[in-house]
Amino acid sequence: MTTATRPAPTGPLNLSRTTATAARVLRQLRHDPRTIALMIVIPCAMLFLLRYVFDGSPRTFDDIGASLLGIFPLITMFLVTSIATLRERTSGTLERLLALPLGKGDLIAGYALAFGALAIVQSALATGLAVWFLDLDVTGSPWLLLLVALLDALLGTALGLFVSAFAASEFQAVQFMPAVIFPQLLLCGLFTPRDEMHPALEALSNVLPMSYAVDGMNEVLRHTDMTATFVRDVLIVAGCALLVLGLGAATLRRRTA
């Protein structure tokens, strides 16, 4: 005799279900100080270290500091989100949640909301440290830097949620980093201008979201006003984050016996 299971709702997002999911994730993270330290402290520590690595050449820090202000949050949020979500998959928590009247969109949006709240704190601290304590020389508004850093962190969250569906262990989740993050890091224009790369690599870099995150940071670094290129970069990064979140919702499957 088999027991029928009730399918999860597929309608529009429900605010109460989404916020309840986000609150549950935040309660769990509150009892995990190592994860909070990784998200909040590590990006600031890396920026602080980088500033004094180039202590004799402050201009070098100005040139790459803004780019890394966007890259560090993306990497840390990718790692934390992929591992945290995988724990819920392997522990059976997601299985139980999907058996409730909880839509896949509600679940993914709840996770994104919870990690997004932490991304705001992370991005604000890193941006404030870089601009007002480490003297990062920025021509444009620091608030625009904060906007790009936040979108980068949300993109890292979305990527982490997505790749967690394809890992069977936390070790495998970490192994996705060379495949998902490192190519973007090498091709984003941090090490050499993208228009000086081999044409095939330049074309590849044009479809990777981290390239536009770095371009957006550099626009703020060099221009006093918001430029059309900056708006384009921000929209692309935000659009990629939403697209990957949608793909993450599509990978949620409830196993049935």
Side-chain angles (χ1 to χ4, degrees):
M1 179 177 179
T2 59
T3 302
T5 57
R6 179 169 46 185
T10 57
L13 291 178
N14 181 282
L15 182 60
S16 62
R17 291 195 295 255
T18 298
T19 54
T21 300
R24 180 186 61 81
V25 174
L26 289 173
R27 285 195 300 270
Q28 290 178 331
L29 289 173
R30 186 181 62 185
H31 300 294
D32 190 353
R34 288 177 296 182
T35 298
I36 294 176
L38 178 61
M39 286 189 289
I40 304 300
V41 178
I42 295 301
C44 294
M46 292 297 99
L47 285 170
F48 188 87
L49 177 63
L50 185 71
R51 168 63 181 84
Y52 291 102
V53 164
F54 296 110
D55 191 43
S57 180
R59 185 60 192 168
T60 303
F61 177 71
D62 291 337
D63 290 339
I64 67 173
S67 298
L68 292 176
L69 187 59
I71 291 172
F72 285 158
L74 190 156
I75 294 174
T76 56
M77 293 305 293
F78 171 83
L79 282 172
V80 169
T81 307
S82 60
I83 292 174
T85 309
L86 182 64
R87 285 179 186 172
E88 301 235 306
R89 289 180 186 270
T90 55
S91 67
T93 301
L94 281 179
E95 182 81 6
R96 294 189 294 271
L97 289 173
L98 288 174
L100 299 173
L102 180 70
K104 293 188 291 184
D106 297 320
L107 193 59
I108 287 294
Y111 277 91
L113 184 61
F115 287 109
L118 291 172
I120 292 174
V121 177
Q122 179 197 70
S123 301
L125 288 176
T127 302
L129 175 70
V131 174
W132 290 297
F133 186 79
L134 300 180
D135 298 323
L136 178 67
D137 188 11
V138 179
T139 301
S141 169
W143 293 106
L144 296 180
L145 277 185
L146 176 59
L147 173 62
V148 181
L150 176 57
L151 289 175
D152 291 342
L154 293 175
L155 176 61
T157 298
L159 289 170
L161 287 169
F162 176 63
V163 304
S164 68
F166 305 100
S169 66
E170 293 180 17
F171 179 67
Q172 286 186 8
V174 174
Q175 286 179 312
F176 273 103
M177 186 171 174
V180 176
I181 300 297
F182 286 0
Q184 297 192 66
L185 186 62
L186 293 174
L187 298 176
C188 69
L190 177 64
F191 301 104
T192 188
R194 292 193 292 129
D195 57 6
E196 295 180 9
M197 297 178 184
H198 187 279
L201 295 180
E202 182 184 358
L204 178 59
S205 74
N206 288 335
V207 299
L208 297 176
M210 190 183 290
S211 300
Y212 297 95
V214 170
D215 286 351
M217 287 294 190
N218 288 333
E219 286 294 303
V220 180
L221 191 68
R222 297 166 184 161
H223 300 280
T224 55
D225 299 321
M226 184 185 301
T227 64
T229 301
F230 174 83
V231 174
R232 179 209 65 182
D233 295 335
V234 165
L235 291 176
I236 289 175
V237 174
C240 287
L242 291 174
L243 174 62
V244 176
L245 282 176
L247 292 174
T251 63
L252 285 179
R253 294 289 185 271
R254 190 173 69 83
R255 301 181 183 90
T256 55

